């Protein structure tokens, strides 16, 4: 079975631009979470979506937004990019939002802001 | 809030050496605890987990025991291999996460195993 897929793999943007990252969860999984991993640090939680509803949001500015589609895939949008937004963006899918539902991570999208 | 503190790296060992990576946590209630591994250029893979006090998670020769009295979840392996070279993350999922149940990660420990 296919795991979590993310696109694109790598992306280079300029400060002030906007970016959209995409994630397809494992078949049958209805929950998607997004994490930001800055080089040399652990991942930080950005959003969780379940059944197209936002279930949680981390400590990130309003420049960050996301949505989930009827097929449970998800997009993460970042507006007005800053140099500090350069990071690996990880998507994780799970059956649902419960703590007992294991999260499976995709390979990530490497975003570089110049 | 929830937090995870793990042993800073990098850690360099010779093949067949014993490995310990320390991890301690702060959380409300009784969190679930995890170790994830990240190989170069890849995403995170779940290595092992424990969901209640005194549980021992184990996988691929790695072990960690949930110690509530010391709020710790140290990762151990008796004999490391070159293929174990990676970054290891300790993480928790707590009831204080609200309905999101998101993971809170430590900063990671880079392990290099030399032949």
């Amino acid at each position: 079975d296919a795991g979590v897929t993310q696109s694109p793999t790598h992306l280079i943007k300029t400060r002030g631009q906007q970016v959209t990252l995409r994630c397809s969860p494992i078949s049958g999984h209805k929950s998607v979470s997004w994490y930001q991993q800055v080089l040399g640090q652990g991942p930080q939680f950005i959003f969780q979506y379940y059944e197209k509803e936002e279930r949680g949001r981390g400590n990130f500015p309003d420049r960050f937004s996301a949505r989930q589609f009827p097929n449970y895939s998800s997009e993460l949008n970042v507006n007005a990019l800053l140099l500090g937004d350069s990071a690996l963006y990880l998507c994780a899918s799970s059956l649902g939002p419960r703590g007992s539902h294991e999260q499976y991570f995709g390979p990530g999208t490497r975003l570089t802001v110049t | 809030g929830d937090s995870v503190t793990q042993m800073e790296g990098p850690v360099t060992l010779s093949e067949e050496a014993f490995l310990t990576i320390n991890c301690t946590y702060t959380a409300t209630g009784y969190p679930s605890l995890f170790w994830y591994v990240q190989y170069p250029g890849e995403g995170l893979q779940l290595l092992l987990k424990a969901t209640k006090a005194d549980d021992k998670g184990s996988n691929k020769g790695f072990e960690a025991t949930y110690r509530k009295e010391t709020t710790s979840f140290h990762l151990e392996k008796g004999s490391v291999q070159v293929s174990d070279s990676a970054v290891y993350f300790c993480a928790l999922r707590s009831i204080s996460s609200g309905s999101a149940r998101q993971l809170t990660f430590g900063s990671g420990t880079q392990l290099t195993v030399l032949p």
Side-chain angles (χ1 to χ4, degrees):
Chain A
D1 288 338
V4 178
T5 59
Q6 293 185 242
S7 63
T9 304
H10 295 90
L11 203 53
I12 299 174
K13 290 286 188 178
T14 305
R15 275 178 300 175
Q17 286 187 316
Q18 175 264 341
V19 68
T20 298
L21 311 180
R22 295 175 176 82
C23 171
S24 292
I26 292 171
S27 177
H29 285 192
K30 299 181 178 180
S31 181
V32 169
S33 298
W34 288 95
Y35 292 81
Q36 181 197 62
Q37 185 180 13
V38 173
L39 191 64
Q41 297 181 21
Q44 299 239 327
F45 172 71
I46 311 176
F47 286 110
Q48 185 188 69
Y49 276 77
Y50 175 64
E51 293 279 15
K52 297 178 289 181
E53 296 290 327
E54 182 182 303
R55 281 301 194 101
R57 182 186 183 116
N59 188 24
F60 280 81
D62 291 343
R63 299 185 295 107
F64 288 76
S65 63
R67 55 179 175 168
Q68 187 177 32
F69 298 99
N71 67 353
Y72 304 111
S73 67
S74 177
E75 287 182 351
L76 175 70
N77 296 286
V78 187
N79 293 323
L81 285 167
L82 303 174
L83 294 179
D85 295 331
S86 295
L88 180 67
Y89 288 85
L90 296 166
C91 173
S93 80
S94 59
L95 286 170
R98 294 181 186 174
S100 58
H101 292 146
E102 184 175 324
Q103 294 192 357
Y104 295 83
F105 284 83
T109 294
R110 173 74 62 187
L111 172 65
T112 301
V113 182
T114 63
Chain B
D2 298 341
S3 67
V4 175
T5 302
Q6 65 179 101
M7 172 176 149
E8 292 195 10
V11 174
T12 302
L13 296 173
S14 297
E15 205 165 24
E16 298 184 2
F18 184 85
L19 169 71
T20 299
I21 301 178
N22 291 335
C23 171
T24 58
Y25 67 89
T26 301
T28 303
Y30 301 92
S32 295
L33 301 174
F34 306 84
W35 277 100
Y36 282 84
V37 58
Q38 187 173 37
Y39 297 101
E42 299 184 13
L44 299 174
Q45 298 177 26
L46 178 64
L47 182 59
L48 53 84
K49 66 179 181 182
T51 58
K52 62 183 186 294
D54 300 324
D55 267 2
K56 177 186 283 188
S58 62
N59 186 27
K60 299 181 182 179
F62 291 90
E63 292 183 342
T65 301
Y66 189 141
R67 301 288 188 198
K68 183 164 175 57
E69 63 277 10
T70 55
T71 61
S72 65
F73 193 54
H74 305 321
L75 182 68
E76 296 182 336
K77 186 175 185 182
S79 177
V80 294
Q81 305 300 313
V82 172
S83 58
D84 294 327
S85 297
V87 181
Y88 292 81
F89 292 94
C90 185
L92 69 81
R93 180 183 284 162
S94 169
I95 59 171
S96 68
S97 303
S99 60
R101 299 290 190 267
Q102 70 266 24
L103 291 161
T104 299
F105 288 88
S107 57
T109 301
Q110 171 75 55
L111 170 66
T112 301
V113 180
L114 302 176

